Amino acid sequence: MADTPKHVARVVALKPQMHFGKLRTGNYAHFMFTATTLRGLPIRASKSAIVWGSKVSSFERLAQLSYYSNGMTRTKSFHNSGRPRKKQKAKDKPVKEGSNEEVLLADIGHLLAAQPVAQLAANNDDHVENQATDASTLPERFTKIQVKISELSSTGDGLGLSSTSDHVYVVPFTAPGDIVTAKVITHFPKNSYTLADFVDVVDPSPQRDDSRIQCPYFATCSGCQLQMLSYEDQLAHKKTIVEKAYRYFSGLAPEYIPLIGDTVSSPLQYGYRTKLTPHFDGPPGSRSRKDRRNGAEKKGFENVPPIGFMVKGTRKTLDIEDCPIGTEAVRMGMKRERRRVAEELGKYKRGATLLLRESTRRVPKSVVDEKAQIPHGENSERDRSGNANGNAKNESDSVEATRDEATVISKDFEEKTCITDSNATSTEYVDDFVFSNTAGAFFQNNNTILPKFTAYIRDNVLPSSLTAGEKPIKYLIDAYSGSGLFTITLSSLFSSSTGIDIAGASIASARQNAKDNGIQNATFMVADASALFAEVTYPPDETVVVIDPPRKGCDDNFLRQLLRFGPRRAVYVSCNVHTQARDVGILVGGDKDSVYELESLRGFDFFPQTGHVEGVAILNRTHRGGDDKTA
């Protein structure tokens, strides 16, 4: 494999063709894929071989997956005459890139592929043409079974093998090594897995300790998955999420992926989340078509509906009175909003989503003393990060302002208020920087980790040294800048910085934030990130680009422009390490204009107790190619 190109495919092991018998050769159980790389070469990639195809038109798409007959897509069935059959089953929806379903399928495929080939051959018997599980051999729906959990998927769900090791049961709220009772819900025989509900633990694994669970809704609510694990195990699991994302989704050969750094911990493991959005559904029943034509009035609520979050694996709303991962102000605001909805229920004719957003105001000590008596002694000396277990402070550790039940004065003289109006202004502090934003707009939801997070990016955004002939980097482009978090916190490192975002309200906030922080070398513009480089005049050799896109990652047009512009360095921040890995694979694969190396990679735990991890990838341009910028 010495001649293996570094950009094997845009996605390797992303869409497995799980026909083990058909593809088995020698001692390997193969995964087979097709894709189109940035260079326009169709590829067939397997676990043991890479086969390069013939040249096709470049930029047809950065990478297109051709799905095999594994149940992810279906084609029309035709008669011999060429006419489609009259009765056709509904087409399966294609799996969305970067979705939990896609990630889960990849983990399931690799778990099955890791089983001994001889065992798989025995299990499949003579049916080597079709790996799909025989549905008749699976337990009936809603029956209870015992499952031993083999591993945690990157979605946070446990994966357990069937007794024949050719089918996977997906069971949430479990730990590796657990033996649990699970209720069978839905079979997906074509993809060799079954979704099941967690019922109880028969024999807990050494990693599981249910005394760690601090939420009465855990194992029902879909919000948290990992409360039974120690925080050290959570951080280790999130490191494996990043590792697997780049192994399965980047398409890069292993030698081009650096060692993943340890996951950076959150100072708080509970009481950290500064934004929650509980919801409630509309009244039961609906008007008939005739009623709607006749203008019949919509039905109202007879009783207060459940207000909270989704039940795991369903579309049902679970009534939740309190959420311990929320900050104290947010939790108090949640209680207040629940009461308000009950009192004003007659105003609602449909469901609604409630906003609970913490806002902070730093208060001089003299003002705090006027609002409340601050206890002195041991409690007043406690650190704001909470107790030794990293939990949120108890009510006795904060001073509650009597004028507003959703306002909290903390020991370091920060007034915390819960905002419920999405158009109001919320304020956050990151070290000595202040950020004001529209409450309903995006801002990072764990402000306790933001100082570590921004410091890490600040320490790595510039190269550690310059080689002969290299110019120092003087310019920053902050793509997807939002209200200016990176543009502002990194501004002192650059002669000039530009933040770009598609949302005009966010750019307005960013300009005000720059003014409030005394930043004079930053400008902001409203533009779609896919067209941002048309407005940039910075010299690429002296520019770094920070990328922080939404979960879906960067679109193809943006990546094309980025490669053609060719900045010296790039920092890719993402809340979805799987789409990040896909995009980074393209940047490292490069094209005729520029090629990047992945200098470092690590996760940040913005959301303890959940399966989510934030990824930060640092890329350095290794060389520039041709001068043709018109392709």
Side-chain angles (χ1 to χ4, degrees):
M1 297 294 290
D3 296 330
T4 300
K6 69 176 177 180
H7 195 285
V8 170
R10 182 183 186 186
V11 180
V12 170
L14 182 57
K15 295 293 191 297
Q17 181 195 9
M18 296 185 289
H19 291 239
F20 296 98
K22 186 174 181 179
L23 296 177
R24 189 182 305 114
T25 60
N27 293 323
Y28 291 93
H30 284 238
F31 278 64
M32 191 68 70
F33 314 85
T34 63
T36 302
T37 67
L38 185 64
R39 298 187 179 95
L41 296 173
I43 294 172
R44 288 186 300 119
S46 74
K47 186 176 180 181
S48 62
I50 304 298
V51 182
W52 284 80
S54 59
K55 182 76 175 179
V56 297
S57 59
S58 67
F59 289 133
E60 176 184 9
R61 178 170 163 80
L62 291 181
Q64 289 182 325
L65 298 171
S66 296
Y67 298 171
Y68 287 88
S69 55
N70 62 352
M72 293 183 188
T73 60
R74 295 177 183 170
T75 56
K76 288 186 177 181
S77 176
F78 291 89
H79 292 294
N80 292 335
S81 61
R83 292 174 298 176
R85 296 181 186 276
K86 291 183 179 180
K87 292 184 179 180
Q88 297 182 23
K89 292 183 179 180
K91 290 184 180 180
D92 292 344
K93 293 182 179 180
V95 178
K96 187 176 180 181
E97 285 191 19
S99 66
N100 272 6
E101 183 181 3
E102 183 182 58
V103 173
L104 182 62
L105 284 169
D107 283 347
I108 289 169
H110 283 83
L111 176 60
L112 291 172
Q115 304 313 303
V117 173
Q119 184 176 355
L120 286 170
N123 295 336
N124 285 338
D125 199 14
D126 296 328
H127 304 289
V128 296
E129 292 296 320
N130 186 8
Q131 179 271 340
T133 306
D134 181 357
S136 65
T137 66
L138 296 173
E140 293 185 8
R141 293 185 66 197
F142 309 119
T143 57
K144 294 181 181 180
I145 58 174
Q146 280 194 7
V147 180
K148 182 171 183 178
I149 303 303
S150 300
E151 63 180 54
L152 275 183
S153 74
S154 295
T155 64
D157 298 315
L159 304 181
L161 288 163
S162 64
S163 59
T164 53
S165 298
D166 60 356
H167 192 83
V168 173
Y169 292 97
V170 181
V171 188
F173 312 116
T174 55
D178 279 349
I179 298 176
V180 300
T181 303
K183 181 189 288 187
V184 173
I185 301 299
T186 306
H187 294 303
F188 296 90
K190 289 188 176 181
N191 297 120
S192 299
Y193 78 97
T194 292
L195 295 180
D197 279 350
F198 170 81
V199 177
D200 57 36
V201 179
V202 177
D203 186 12
S205 77
Q207 285 186 269
R208 185 183 194 98
D209 182 353
D210 286 352
S211 69
R212 300 186 179 108
I213 297 171
Q214 298 193 21
C215 178
Y217 307 103
F218 183 74
T220 305
C221 174
S222 59
C224 295
Q225 299 84 43
L226 308 177
Q227 290 190 23
M228 68 289 187
L229 298 181
S230 70
Y231 193 48
E232 291 74 17
D233 284 344
Q234 291 186 36
L235 294 175
H237 171 62
K238 294 184 181 189
K239 182 177 179 179
T240 67
I241 292 175
V242 181
E243 291 172 341
K244 290 196 295 184
Y246 277 78
R247 187 186 313 145
Y248 301 161
F249 288 78
S250 71
L252 296 172
E255 58 266 30
Y256 294 97
I257 302 172
L259 290 176
I260 312 298
D262 291 338
T263 308
V264 178
S265 63
S266 170
L268 290 180
Q269 289 89 63
Y270 285 89
Y272 63 82
R273 190 170 178 118
T274 56
K275 179 184 177 184
L276 290 174
T277 52
H279 68 274
F280 59 91
D281 300 321
S286 60
R287 296 175 299 169
S288 66
R289 186 174 300 176
K290 181 178 179 180
D291 288 340
R292 289 196 296 271
R293 283 199 305 267
N294 295 333
E297 186 177 347
K298 291 182 179 180
K299 294 182 180 179
F301 290 95
E302 296 180 1
N303 300 296
V304 178
I307 304 172
F309 308 107
M310 291 291 189
V311 174
K312 175 69 174 177
T314 75
R315 301 289 297 174
K316 296 179 181 178
T317 301
L318 177 66
D319 191 57
I320 293 179
E321 296 182 359
D322 187 24
C323 179
I325 66 172
T327 65
E328 188 174 355
V330 165
R331 294 170 72 179
M332 293 170 67
M334 187 172 184
K335 295 175 182 178
R336 183 187 65 185
E337 282 296 283
R338 287 174 57 86
R339 285 199 301 269
R340 182 190 63 79
V341 170
E343 293 168 358
E344 301 176 359
L345 194 61
K347 296 180 180 180
Y348 291 95
K349 301 299 181 183
R350 63 181 67 183
T353 298
L354 309 177
L355 173 67
L356 307 170
R357 165 71 83 179
E358 181 181 275
S359 183
T360 302
R361 184 169 70 94
R362 288 188 173 170
V363 184
K365 184 179 184 301
S366 59
V367 176
V368 176
D369 290 339
E370 292 176 4
K371 285 178 175 283
Q373 294 294 322
I374 298 181
H376 295 283
E378 181 180 352
N379 284 343
S380 62
E381 297 300 323
R382 295 185 62 174
D383 187 89
R384 73 184 295 267
S385 61
N387 60 34
N389 294 323
N391 300 325
K393 295 173 290 186
N394 297 321
E395 288 188 16
S396 61
D397 298 324
S398 299
V399 178
E400 182 178 335
T402 57
R403 62 178 174 82
D404 187 346
E405 140 179 45
T407 300
V408 174
I409 310 280
S410 65
K411 289 302 178 298
D412 55 359
F413 314 124
E414 288 187 345
E415 183 182 59
K416 307 283 189 177
T417 303
C418 182
I419 294 176
T420 58
D421 180 358
S422 61
N423 294 316
T425 299
S426 62
T427 302
E428 299 274 6
Y429 288 87
V430 181
D431 293 323
D432 291 328
F433 294 101
V434 59
F435 293 91
S436 296
N437 202 10
T438 304
F442 172 77
F443 196 82
Q444 295 288 357
N445 293 334
N446 180 350
N447 58 18
T448 68
I449 198 175
L450 282 178
K452 286 185 182 181
F453 181 61
T454 54
Y456 177 83
I457 294 174
R458 183 182 178 88
D459 291 343
N460 290 275
V461 69
L462 296 176
S464 57
S465 61
L466 297 176
T467 60
E470 281 188 333
K471 297 179 180 179
I473 294 177
K474 300 179 181 179
Y475 307 102
L476 168 70
I477 298 172
D478 183 6
Y480 309 94
S481 66
S483 57
L485 176 64
F486 300 121
T487 320
I488 291 170
T489 57
L490 300 174
S491 60
S492 64
L493 299 177
F494 302 97
S495 300
S496 179
S497 303
T498 298
I500 304 171
D501 201 277
I502 194 172
S506 293
I507 291 298
S509 296
R511 288 170 177 155
Q512 184 61 48
N513 289 335
K515 181 179 179 181
D516 292 344
N517 287 283
I519 306 299
Q520 298 181 352
N521 63 337
T523 58
F524 297 90
M525 66 175 71
V526 179
D528 189 336
S530 64
L532 67 88
F533 292 103
E535 306 291 332
V536 172
T537 59
Y538 295 155
D541 289 348
E542 302 174 48
T543 301
V544 61
V545 174
V546 174
I547 309 163
D548 187 10
R551 289 189 62 81
K552 66 179 183 179
C554 302
D555 64 28
D556 293 351
N557 190 28
F558 174 83
L559 292 173
R560 289 189 189 99
Q561 289 187 70
L562 182 64
L563 284 168
R564 290 170 184 158
F565 178 71
R568 268 269 298 290
R569 286 172 74 80
V571 178
Y572 193 139
V573 178
S574 179
C575 58
N576 185 338
V577 292
H578 303 91
T579 54
Q580 181 194 52
R582 174 201 68 197
D583 295 344
V584 167
I586 293 170
L587 298 176
V588 174
D591 72 349
K592 61 188 176 62
D593 288 327
S594 53
V595 177
Y596 290 83
E597 65 177 351
L598 185 51
E599 183 175 286
S600 65
L601 180 63
R602 75 186 311 171
F604 284 75
D605 189 18
F606 272 74
F607 301 104
Q609 318 308 330
T610 79
H612 297 288
V613 60
E614 193 97 357
V616 178
I618 309 294
L619 296 108
N620 189 58
R621 196 187 69 210
T622 56
H623 70 270
R624 290 183 63 84
D627 296 325
D628 180 11
K629 306 282 180 172
T630 61

